[in-house]
Amino acid sequence: MPPSASPPRIFDRDLLRRRLDRAAPGYAGADFLKRRAAGDIVMRLEAIMRDFPRAVDLGARNGAFAEALAASDAAPRVGLLVEADLSGAMLAGRAGMRAVADEERLPFAPASLDLIVSSLSLHWANDVVGALVQARLALKPDGLFIGALFGGATLTELRQALTAAELELTGGAGPRVSPFADPSDAAGLLQRAGFALPVADVDRVTVRYDHPLKLMADLRRMGETSVLAERHPRPLTRKVLARAFEIYQRDFAGPDGRIAATFEILTLTGWSPSEIQQKPLRPGSAKMRLAEALGGEEHSVPGTRPQRR
């Protein structure tokens, strides 16, 4: 079910689809971050001792999650897995259930799924909270969502180098790299979407390249180049790009001359609300003082008095 109000159009989703289609043939050559995020999700599933008869992988791309799951102890607990992606080319040629689907307009019936995972695709949603709401509605009560998306520190070096080069050569700078979610608000995204027991973790990965051009080639093969709807009115010139590369190598190269590229992966875990889930105790409902539970003595702070509950 799509959200009732239209979100701001930050990203051009049609352009994203076209770039993913073009990236599909060579995607496996640059899927190391996808595999890392998918493997992390699978490890989390291994620690949850329950069955998930119907599952969906949103933004499946080349099937990294399905591959990691098949090799894990969690595989017998996941029944039907539907791989969904915005790009039909990404799904082509693979066995199993597949669906071309937009994360912003999920086609799944309410309360029809036990598990939804998503590794590195939701950062392209114009309304992340709205996409999470749709995922929650598609889950059965006490269904599980685990999603990984890029956080705000992602590509910070490239962003700084491009901005500095444009300011130096043109006197002004605009957005050239897509914005990403703030890690401090990661768990809040799940809360705003109505998930219970929200948890957010941050994994910061530094990848080293011989030259910024190799980083940009990887981004193209991942289908992760900017698809901002409001694109900069001036295209990047060779002069600006060359200066950006010089700044990048000057400011972010290590002793070996290789440049650093930061990728911040936020992993969100939440449950569809259910009456069977544990609830936090109401403040003031404890039956025993902390000092009694710990076998110690209770001392008052000057100017205060011990609180009994």
Side-chain angles (χ1 to χ4, degrees), residues 129 132 183-194 198 200 268:
V129 173
L132 290 173
S184 64
D185 191 38
L189 295 174
L190 290 169
Q191 290 176 319
R192 288 161 58 194
L268 314 179

Side-chain angles (χ1 to χ4, degrees), residues 245-267:
F245 290 165
E246 291 174 355
I247 293 170
Y248 202 137
Q249 291 176 304
R250 181 195 71 194
D251 293 348
F252 302 109
D256 60 357
R258 307 182 78 201
I259 55 108
T262 297
F263 294 91
E264 187 174 63
I265 300 175
L266 312 180
T267 301

Side-chain angles (χ1 to χ4, degrees), residues 118 196 271 284:
S118 177
W271 297 82

Side-chain angles (χ1 to χ4, degrees), residues 206-210 252-256 258-261:
T206 300
V207 183
R208 298 200 174 273
Y209 289 91
D210 292 334
F252 302 109
D256 60 357
R258 307 182 78 201
I259 55 108

Side-chain angles (χ1 to χ4, degrees), residues 165-183:
E166 279 202 286
L167 285 172
E168 179 182 315
L169 296 179
T170 69
R176 298 289 186 182
V177 179
S178 298
F180 298 106
D182 187 341

